[in-house]
Structures are given as structure tokens and as C-alpha cells.
Amino acid sequence: MSIPKVVGIEQEYAINMKGIDGMSPFQASCLLVNSYARKIGIREPRARMLWDYGHETPYRDIRGDLFGKKAGQEIVAEEENLKINAALPNGARFYTDHAHPEYSTPECLSARDVVACDKAGEIILRESMAAGREVLPSLEITILKNNVDYQGHSYGCHENYLMDAAVHEECFVRNPQKALQCLVPFLVTRQIFAGAGKVGGESSETRDARFQLSQRADFMEAVFGLETMYARPIVNTRQEHHADPARFRRLHLILGDANMNEFASVLKIGATQLVLQMVEDGFGEEDLTLADPVKGIKLVSAKFNTPLELADGRRLTPLAIQRKFLERARQFRGQEQGAVVPDADLIIDWWEDALSGLEQLKLSEDLSIEDDPAHLSTKLDWAAKLWLFGRYRKGNARGWNVADLRVLDLQYHNISSGEGIFGRLSDQGLTERILDEDRIQGLVTGPPEDTRAYFRGKCIERFRHEIYTVNWEAVGFDHGEVRRVVPLLDPLRGTRQEFEEKMDRARHSRELLAMIHPAG
């Protein structure tokens, strides 16, 4: 019986700056984090919330420590911790990761909510830039929400899905063939609607490509693996579940692109939730094992709908493989008995719209869009870029081998108001909006209400001066003579329904904890 597919997105942003010589990307990222934290009142002498690294084990592999470089937990000094981390009242984490600002959404039940939280993150990054300029007026910062710098580097848009512990163990430890036959083919081919688009190639398989569907495909080098900065895998096997390990596991996916378009992003997350639900319920597991998934992900990106070789000798196009998953999902919806993916019928309809549109989309020999009856250029990031590049090349009589196209590609992802190309397209009504703007704005300051993010976010909002540590799994309160920790091991507990009345009644955290655990 499947469990709700609670989901979160971790987005690493690219940062460029000028105006102050010698400032590093790390320092600029910390400036953004702390400027925003001060702006909303969570960085002050009386509020010194530390991010608790106690449950983070980035070098421990679910397949056993044999695969990890070391099993120790990360240790960060208190002042360094404060400099790089901000746990926010909306349940999110805003922090510096190496040389990038990173925004991790709070836990969400639905694809629409997690993408709304991701969009709220863009607003927070913009507000952090404005707050940073108040501190250093001469510093100019540009933030890009993408995955490649065209200098050989890639940075991630990671997805995290809650899975049943037993099923996760079966798929990725005891019998990885199960994941290879019923999950990996979906992930390899979903870029036909989820790719963000990219000019040129950066691997031996894609070196001659003029345009690719995906920014991350070039950088995938394994099917399963522990690393995130080299030898990148399609499925990351880090043993870091951020929940009760007896019941839950975290599926950590690092292959996906950073989507700007709401339609593409919601479809990517929602379709993945549905496929994972079917995997947990063992529904219709046709063996679609690919002969070479790593080669396949690059081939799909560079060659669009070129057939892929399956392990059994069949050859199927990415569209045909996605059609099989869609039909399976449609059948599953008719008889499912487990947890229901929110908006499942809408996700299936949008999935059908995308695949039907791709079947009708006509590209010219030079990869210009000739016919787009389903208006995919308003829904899918890569299609929007092809449309944009086609207009630019036609108007300037230019081919594909020009640096200008890479500049346009990067500027598509610029999140600054009035500067980013995607933002301009959206302002002109040339992108399909499927999220409510008021909902996005509400998630800038407040948490989702149907996961543990509600409890965490409201505690940070109400009792920030009494919190000494916080992470995904716990909130720790400092009451002077004693410190108390509230565990949040079930992502589905700690909701508004459970705690709104208690939060409203509690004048301080002592009273809240007394209501949660009354004496006697």
C-alpha cells in the first residue's frame, strides 16, 4: 500500500557579482542569506537558531558504508553555522552551499504546492538581493536559476520524495533491477517535457548537438551513486532520510533541470509522484529496462525522439516509453486503493496534453519550430527557448554556433525583475500560468499547512528567540535550565489541523510544549 509522496525541491542558484573586488561567490551567497534573515527578523542577537547537522551524513551510502568515503557527520562551528544558514518561517531553508545560494522548499504533499514554494524561493532570492544592496550599495549581483555555466560546471535542482522504507530497500538495495525496469526508464525519458533546454553539448555523446532538451544530461555519469559534484548519478544513494528510518526513506534525485515554467515543473513532479506510487503498489510493472541508461539520458537530450535500445532488444522512442507510463497511470487511477497523489487527474490530463503536443510539434531541419498546435512553447522551457532562438536567429541571420545564443540561454534564467527573459515572456502572456499568485506570495512568509513544515515554520515565526537548533527532523527549544527537542520524524504530522489551536493559545514555547506533552 503506497504512502503519500511528500516532496521537496533543493535549488542551487548560480551567482555572479561585480562592484567589489575580491568578494568570493561564497561571501556573496552568505551576504544574501544574512541580509534576508535580518530583513525578516530572524537574525538578531536574541535569535541565534543553529541548523542542526546531527542527522546529515552526506558520505553514507544506502548500499552500505563500503561505498562511502567516510561515515561521519558534518561538524560546523557556531558562528560559521549562523553565517551560512537561515531556517525560515515558511518552513524552508535558505543557505550557502559551497559557492552557491541554495533554497530548499518545505515539505509539500502536492506538485502544485511544491512548485509554488519553489516560485516563492525565487521571490525570496530577489528580496535577498535587494536587502544585500542596502548593506553594500556598490555590489551588483545577478542570480540565475539554471544548471550550467558553459564553463564546464553544473549545479543541481534536486528532488526529494517520501517512500515506504521496505519498498525503497527492495528497489535500491536488495533488487536494484526493480528500479531499473520501472523507474529509471521514466526518469531518463521525462526530459522530453521536463528539460530546461541548452545550447550545444559538453560530453562525447553530445559534442555535435546544436541544442539539447536537458541541461543536466551531459553531467550524468552513473545510474546509482553517492556523489553529487562528480560521477553524478541519476538516482543518488545518500543515506539521509530526514524521517523515521523504520518507516520512511527519501528518494533523492539529482538528474532534473531547474524549470522556470510552472507547467513543466508541476508535470515533472506530479508525474514522478504517480510513477513512484505505482512502484510502491506494484502496479503494472512492464520491464522497460534500458540497455544503457546513462548513454540513453544523453541521447534523449541531444537527439530528441530517437529510439532507445532496451535490455531485451526492443527499440522504443522516448515518447513511446512515456506513453506506456501515462497509460499505466491512467489505469492505476481507476483502481488505486492507497494514498492518492493530489491533483492526479489534472496531472494525467497535462501529461496527455504534453505528449500529444510533442507528437504534433514540427521542427525544421535547423531546429526552428515550424508548427506548435499545442502551444508547447508556452508550457515547456526547452520549447520556449527553441521558439526564442528561432526568432533571434532569423532576425539576425545567425546560425547555431554563436556565443549570443548562450547569453540568451543564461538570461532566460535570470530571476531579477525586468531582466530575465522568462520573466518578460511571462509578463507578455507568453507562458502558461497554472499556479495562483496569491498562493505563491503566501508561501513566501508562511508554511504549507498539511505537512510537518507547518509546525517548524510556525515555531520559527512565533518562538524564534527560544529556538536553539532546527532541522528537517526536529525543533530544539532553549528554556534556560533545560533544553527540549520536539522530534518531527513523520513528515505527515505537525500540520495546521493538529497544531493551529495550540499555536494560537501558546504565549511561549513552554506553553506549547506543555500542551503537546501535558504533565502526568
Side-chain angles (χ1 to χ4, degrees), residues 279-326:
V279 169
E280 285 195 351
D281 282 349
F283 182 85
E285 294 180 350
E286 178 183 356
D287 189 348
L288 295 171
T289 305
L290 299 173
D292 188 339
V294 176
K295 180 180 178 180
I297 199 170
K298 295 176 171 64
L299 185 63
V300 174
S301 182
K303 301 293 185 180
F304 294 32
N305 204 32
T306 296
L308 299 178
E309 184 180 352
L310 273 60
D312 61 12
R314 285 181 294 165
R315 294 179 64 81
L316 294 175
T317 65
L319 260 170
I321 291 173
Q322 282 294 317
R323 275 283 178 200
K324 285 181 175 292
F325 280 103
L326 172 58

Coordinates of all heavy atoms in Angstrom, one line a residue, residues 279-326:
V279 N 5.0 2.2 -8.3 CA 6.1 1.3 -7.9 C 5.8 0.8 -6.6 O 6.0 -0.5 -6.3 CB 7.4 2.1 -7.9 CG1 8.5 1.3 -7.3 CG2 7.8 2.4 -9.4
E280 N 5.4 1.6 -5.6 CA 5.1 1.1 -4.3 C 3.9 0.1 -4.2 O 3.9 -0.8 -3.4 CB 4.8 2.3 -3.3 CG 6.0 3.1 -2.9 CD 5.8 4.0 -1.8 OE1 4.6 4.1 -1.3 OE2 6.8 4.5 -1.3
D281 N 3.0 0.3 -5.1 CA 1.8 -0.6 -5.1 C 2.0 -1.8 -6.1 O 1.1 -2.6 -6.2 CB 0.5 0.1 -5.5 CG 0.0 0.9 -4.4 OD1 0.4 0.7 -3.2 OD2 -0.9 1.8 -4.6
G282 N 3.2 -1.9 -6.7 CA 3.5 -3.0 -7.6 C 2.5 -3.1 -8.8 O 2.2 -4.2 -9.2
F283 N 2.1 -1.9 -9.3 CA 1.1 -1.9 -10.4 C 1.7 -1.9 -11.8 O 2.5 -1.1 -12.1 CB 0.2 -0.7 -10.2 CG -0.9 -0.6 -11.2 CD1 -2.1 -1.3 -11.0 CD2 -0.8 0.1 -12.4 CE1 -3.1 -1.2 -11.9 CE2 -1.8 0.1 -13.4 CZ -3.0 -0.5 -13.1
G284 N 1.3 -2.9 -12.6 CA 1.7 -2.9 -14.0 C 3.1 -2.8 -14.3 O 3.5 -1.9 -15.1
E285 N 4.0 -3.6 -13.7 CA 5.4 -3.4 -13.9 C 6.0 -4.0 -15.1 O 6.7 -5.0 -15.1 CB 6.1 -3.9 -12.6 CG 5.8 -3.1 -11.4 CD 6.5 -3.6 -10.1 OE1 7.1 -4.7 -10.2 OE2 6.5 -3.0 -9.1
E286 N 5.6 -3.5 -16.3 CA 6.2 -3.9 -17.5 C 7.7 -3.6 -17.5 O 8.2 -2.5 -17.0 CB 5.6 -3.2 -18.7 CG 6.3 -3.6 -20.0 CD 5.7 -2.9 -21.2 OE1 4.8 -2.0 -21.0 OE2 6.2 -3.1 -22.3
D287 N 8.6 -4.6 -17.9 CA 10.0 -4.4 -17.9 C 10.4 -3.5 -19.0 O 10.4 -3.9 -20.2 CB 10.7 -5.8 -18.0 CG 12.2 -5.7 -17.7 OD1 12.7 -4.5 -17.7 OD2 12.8 -6.7 -17.5
L288 N 10.8 -2.3 -18.7 CA 11.3 -1.3 -19.7 C 12.8 -1.0 -19.5 O 13.3 0.1 -19.9 CB 10.5 0.0 -19.6 CG 9.0 -0.2 -20.0 CD1 8.2 1.1 -19.7 CD2 8.8 -0.6 -21.5
T289 N 13.5 -2.0 -18.9 CA 14.9 -1.7 -18.6 C 15.7 -1.3 -19.9 O 15.6 -1.9 -20.9 CB 15.6 -3.0 -18.1 OG1 14.9 -3.5 -16.9 CG2 17.0 -2.7 -17.7
L290 N 16.4 -0.2 -19.8 CA 17.2 0.3 -20.9 C 18.5 -0.4 -20.9 O 19.1 -0.7 -19.9 CB 17.4 1.8 -20.7 CG 16.2 2.7 -20.7 CD1 16.5 4.1 -20.3 CD2 15.4 2.6 -22.0
A291 N 19.1 -0.6 -22.1 CA 20.4 -1.2 -22.3 C 21.5 -0.4 -21.6 O 22.4 -1.0 -21.0 CB 20.7 -1.4 -23.8
D292 N 21.4 0.9 -21.7 CA 22.4 1.8 -21.2 C 21.7 3.1 -20.8 O 21.6 4.0 -21.6 CB 23.5 2.1 -22.2 CG 24.7 2.8 -21.6 OD1 24.5 3.5 -20.6 OD2 25.8 2.7 -22.2
P293 N 21.2 3.2 -19.5 CA 20.5 4.4 -19.1 C 21.3 5.7 -19.2 O 20.8 6.8 -19.5 CB 20.1 4.1 -17.6 CG 20.1 2.6 -17.6 CD 21.2 2.2 -18.5
V294 N 22.6 5.6 -18.9 CA 23.5 6.8 -18.9 C 23.7 7.3 -20.3 O 23.5 8.5 -20.6 CB 24.8 6.5 -18.2 CG1 25.7 7.8 -18.3 CG2 24.6 6.2 -16.7
K295 N 23.9 6.4 -21.2 CA 24.0 6.8 -22.6 C 22.6 7.3 -23.1 O 22.5 8.2 -23.9 CB 24.5 5.6 -23.5 CG 24.6 5.9 -25.0 CD 25.0 4.7 -25.7 CE 25.1 5.0 -27.2 NZ 25.5 3.8 -28.0
G296 N 21.6 6.6 -22.6 CA 20.2 6.9 -23.0 C 19.8 8.4 -22.6 O 19.2 9.1 -23.4
I297 N 20.2 8.8 -21.4 CA 19.8 10.1 -21.0 C 20.4 11.2 -21.9 O 19.8 12.2 -22.1 CB 20.1 10.3 -19.5 CG1 19.2 11.5 -18.9 CG2 21.5 10.6 -19.2 CD1 19.2 11.6 -17.4
K298 N 21.6 11.0 -22.3 CA 22.3 11.9 -23.2 C 21.7 11.9 -24.6 O 21.5 12.9 -25.3 CB 23.8 11.6 -23.2 CG 24.5 11.8 -21.9 CD 26.0 11.5 -22.0 CE 26.8 11.9 -20.7 NZ 26.3 11.2 -19.5
L299 N 21.4 10.7 -25.1 CA 20.8 10.5 -26.4 C 19.5 11.2 -26.5 O 19.2 11.9 -27.5 CB 20.7 9.0 -26.7 CG 20.2 8.7 -28.2 CD1 21.2 9.2 -29.2 CD2 20.0 7.2 -28.3
V300 N 18.6 11.0 -25.5 CA 17.3 11.7 -25.5 C 17.5 13.2 -25.5 O 16.8 13.9 -26.3 CB 16.5 11.3 -24.2 CG1 15.2 12.1 -24.2 CG2 16.2 9.8 -24.3
S301 N 18.4 13.7 -24.7 CA 18.6 15.1 -24.7 C 19.1 15.7 -26.0 O 18.6 16.8 -26.4 CB 19.7 15.5 -23.6 OG 19.9 16.8 -23.5
A302 N 20.0 15.0 -26.7 CA 20.6 15.6 -27.9 C 19.8 15.2 -29.2 O 19.9 15.9 -30.1 CB 22.0 15.1 -28.0
K303 N 19.1 14.0 -29.1 CA 18.5 13.5 -30.4 C 17.0 13.5 -30.3 O 16.3 12.9 -31.1 CB 19.0 12.1 -30.7 CG 20.5 12.0 -30.9 CD 21.0 12.7 -32.1 CE 22.5 12.5 -32.3 NZ 23.0 13.2 -33.6
F304 N 16.4 14.1 -29.2 CA 15.0 14.3 -29.1 C 14.3 12.9 -29.0 O 14.4 12.2 -28.0 CB 14.4 15.2 -30.1 CG 14.9 16.6 -30.0 CD1 16.2 16.9 -29.6 CD2 14.0 17.7 -30.4 CE1 16.6 18.2 -29.5 CE2 14.5 19.0 -30.3 CZ 15.7 19.3 -29.9
N305 N 13.6 12.5 -30.1 CA 12.8 11.3 -30.1 C 13.4 10.1 -30.7 O 12.7 9.2 -31.2 CB 11.4 11.6 -30.7 CG 10.3 10.7 -30.2 OD1 10.4 10.2 -29.0 ND2 9.4 10.3 -31.0
T306 N 14.8 10.1 -30.7 CA 15.5 8.9 -31.3 C 15.2 7.7 -30.5 O 15.3 7.7 -29.2 CB 17.0 9.2 -31.4 OG1 17.2 10.3 -32.2 CG2 17.7 8.0 -31.9
P307 N 14.9 6.5 -31.1 CA 14.6 5.3 -30.3 C 15.8 4.9 -29.4 O 17.0 5.1 -29.7 CB 14.4 4.2 -31.4 CG 13.9 5.0 -32.6 CD 14.7 6.3 -32.5
L308 N 15.4 4.4 -28.2 CA 16.4 3.9 -27.3 C 16.4 2.4 -27.3 O 15.3 1.8 -27.4 CB 16.1 4.4 -25.9 CG 16.1 5.9 -25.6 CD1 15.7 6.2 -24.2 CD2 17.4 6.5 -25.9
E309 N 17.5 1.8 -27.1 CA 17.6 0.3 -27.1 C 17.3 -0.2 -25.6 O 17.9 0.3 -24.7 CB 19.0 -0.2 -27.5 CG 19.1 -1.7 -27.5 CD 20.5 -2.2 -27.9 OE1 21.3 -1.3 -28.3 OE2 20.8 -3.4 -27.9
L310 N 16.4 -1.1 -25.5 CA 16.1 -1.7 -24.3 C 16.9 -3.0 -24.1 O 17.5 -3.5 -25.0 CB 14.6 -2.1 -24.2 CG 13.6 -1.0 -23.7 CD1 13.7 0.2 -24.6 CD2 12.2 -1.6 -23.6
A311 N 17.0 -3.4 -22.8 CA 17.9 -4.6 -22.5 C 17.4 -5.8 -23.2 O 18.2 -6.7 -23.5 CB 17.9 -4.8 -21.0
D312 N 16.1 -5.9 -23.5 CA 15.6 -7.1 -24.2 C 15.6 -7.0 -25.7 O 15.1 -7.9 -26.4 CB 14.1 -7.4 -23.7 CG 13.2 -6.3 -24.1 OD1 13.6 -5.3 -24.9 OD2 12.0 -6.2 -23.6
G313 N 16.3 -6.0 -26.2 CA 16.5 -5.9 -27.6 C 15.5 -5.0 -28.3 O 15.7 -4.6 -29.5
R314 N 14.4 -4.7 -27.7 CA 13.4 -3.8 -28.3 C 14.0 -2.4 -28.5 O 14.9 -2.0 -27.7 CB 12.1 -3.7 -27.5 CG 11.2 -4.9 -27.5 CD 10.0 -4.7 -26.7 NE 10.3 -4.6 -25.2 CZ 9.5 -4.1 -24.3 NH1 8.3 -3.7 -24.7 NH2 9.8 -4.2 -23.0
R315 N 13.4 -1.6 -29.4 CA 13.8 -0.2 -29.5 C 12.5 0.7 -29.4 O 11.6 0.5 -30.2 CB 14.5 0.1 -30.8 CG 15.9 -0.6 -30.9 CD 16.5 -0.4 -32.3 NE 16.8 1.0 -32.5 CZ 17.9 1.7 -32.0 NH1 18.8 1.0 -31.2 NH2 18.1 2.9 -32.2
L316 N 12.5 1.6 -28.5 CA 11.3 2.4 -28.2 C 11.7 3.9 -28.2 O 12.8 4.2 -27.6 CB 10.6 2.0 -26.9 CG 9.9 0.7 -26.9 CD1 9.4 0.4 -25.5 CD2 8.8 0.6 -27.9
T317 N 10.9 4.7 -28.7 CA 11.2 6.2 -28.6 C 10.9 6.7 -27.2 O 10.1 6.1 -26.5 CB 10.4 7.0 -29.6 OG1 9.0 6.9 -29.3 CG2 10.6 6.5 -31.1
P318 N 11.5 7.8 -26.8 CA 11.1 8.4 -25.5 C 9.7 8.6 -25.4 O 9.1 8.4 -24.3 CB 12.0 9.6 -25.5 CG 13.2 9.3 -26.3 CD 12.7 8.5 -27.4
L319 N 9.1 9.1 -26.5 CA 7.6 9.4 -26.4 C 6.8 8.1 -26.2 O 5.9 8.0 -25.4 CB 7.2 10.0 -27.8 CG 6.9 11.5 -27.8 CD1 6.8 12.0 -29.2 CD2 5.8 11.9 -26.9
A320 N 7.2 7.0 -26.8 CA 6.6 5.7 -26.7 C 6.7 5.2 -25.2 O 5.8 4.7 -24.6 CB 7.1 4.7 -27.6
I321 N 7.9 5.4 -24.6 CA 8.1 5.0 -23.3 C 7.2 5.8 -22.3 O 6.6 5.3 -21.4 CB 9.6 5.1 -22.9 CG1 10.4 4.0 -23.7 CG2 9.8 4.9 -21.4 CD1 11.9 4.2 -23.5
Q322 N 7.2 7.1 -22.6 CA 6.3 8.0 -21.7 C 4.9 7.6 -21.9 O 4.1 7.7 -20.9 CB 6.6 9.4 -22.0 CG 7.8 10.0 -21.4 CD 7.8 10.0 -19.9 OE1 6.8 10.4 -19.3 NE2 8.9 9.6 -19.2
R323 N 4.5 7.3 -23.1 CA 3.1 6.8 -23.3 C 2.7 5.6 -22.5 O 1.6 5.5 -22.0 CB 2.9 6.5 -24.8 CG 2.6 7.7 -25.7 CD 1.1 8.1 -25.5 NE 0.8 9.3 -26.3 CZ -0.3 10.0 -26.0 NH1 -1.1 9.8 -25.0 NH2 -0.5 11.1 -26.8
K324 N 3.7 4.7 -22.4 CA 3.4 3.5 -21.6 C 3.2 3.8 -20.1 O 2.3 3.3 -19.5 CB 4.6 2.5 -21.7 CG 4.6 1.8 -23.1 CD 5.8 0.8 -23.2 CE 5.7 0.0 -24.4 NZ 4.6 -1.0 -24.5
F325 N 4.0 4.8 -19.6 CA 3.9 5.2 -18.2 C 2.6 5.9 -18.0 O 1.9 5.8 -17.0 CB 5.0 6.0 -17.8 CG 6.3 5.2 -17.4 CD1 7.3 5.1 -18.3 CD2 6.3 4.6 -16.2 CE1 8.5 4.4 -17.9 CE2 7.5 3.8 -15.8 CZ 8.5 3.7 -16.7
L326 N 2.2 6.8 -19.0 CA 0.9 7.5 -18.9 C -0.2 6.6 -18.9 O -1.2 6.7 -18.0 CB 0.8 8.5 -20.0 CG -0.5 9.2 -20.2 CD1 -0.9 10.0 -18.9 CD2 -0.5 10.2 -21.4

